Amino acid sequence: MSKIHEYIELLKKQRVAKREMLSAREKITNYLREYSLNSYEDADVLNCINKFDKVVSNSKVEICDDGGYVKRCALFCDLPCADRKCPHFSQNLDYTVAKERYDMAVAARRAFLRGLRGARTK
């Protein structure tokens, strides 16, 4: 197999792994309409990743941001999640595995390119 075909195969594997990772992340993402700054409890955290369309406040100065806001579960940074009683634990594990596969595919493609560059300079 030529180097071009090998590189194309690595790119295909990376695209498939990225699609799987994004699909798994979509399963642990919750889309909500607005996030109120006046509520102090974390009742808004319904899933691992919560995306809000709008941030609002009822203070003297009316705050309204339509840029989108993302609030993650406090345990989401530690992949895999440490809370085994969470109802989204299995989906979080699926996302963790898909993310590791994607990272490995990216690393394989980069190593291949480094090998090509190193072969030319020697």
Side-chain angles (χ1 to χ4, degrees):
M1 184 184 295
S2 70
K3 296 290 184 184
I4 293 289
H5 293 309
E6 191 175 342
Y7 182 69
I8 290 172
E9 287 300 316
L10 288 172
L11 281 177
K12 285 180 184 178
K13 289 179 183 176
Q14 181 179 338
R15 271 189 245 123
V16 168
K18 184 174 183 176
R19 224 175 288 126
E20 289 174 358
M21 181 190 69
L22 292 176
S23 173
R25 183 168 51 188
E26 194 67 29
K27 291 178 184 175
I28 61 172
T29 303
N30 191 19
Y31 294 94
L32 299 167
R33 190 161 182 223
E34 65 183 26
Y35 178 75
S36 176
L37 294 176
N38 297 330
S39 62
Y40 295 109
E41 65 273 352
D42 278 342
D44 300 313
V45 178
L46 302 172
N47 215 335
C48 299
I49 303 171
N50 298 288
K51 291 188 177 184
F52 298 92
D53 290 336
K54 186 189 292 188
V55 176
V56 294
S57 173
N58 294 338
S59 63
K60 292 179 183 175
V61 178
E62 187 65 29
I63 298 172
C64 184
D65 179 21
D66 293 333
Y69 177 69
V70 177
K71 186 170 185 176
R72 293 179 173 85
C73 175
L75 300 174
F76 183 71
C77 295
D78 304 327
L79 291 178
C81 185
D83 185 10
R84 294 181 181 264
K85 294 181 182 179
C86 178
H88 309 290
F89 181 72
S90 63
Q91 294 170 341
N92 194 312
L93 284 179
D94 293 342
Y95 172 71
T96 303
V97 169
K99 183 169 177 6
E100 287 176 358
R101 285 185 188 152
Y102 175 68
D103 290 342
M104 287 174 24
V106 169
R109 184 187 60 84
R110 287 180 181 167
F112 178 78
L113 289 175
R114 280 192 206 110
L116 284 179
R117 187 174 50 201
R120 274 195 260 153
T121 57
K122 289 182 181 179

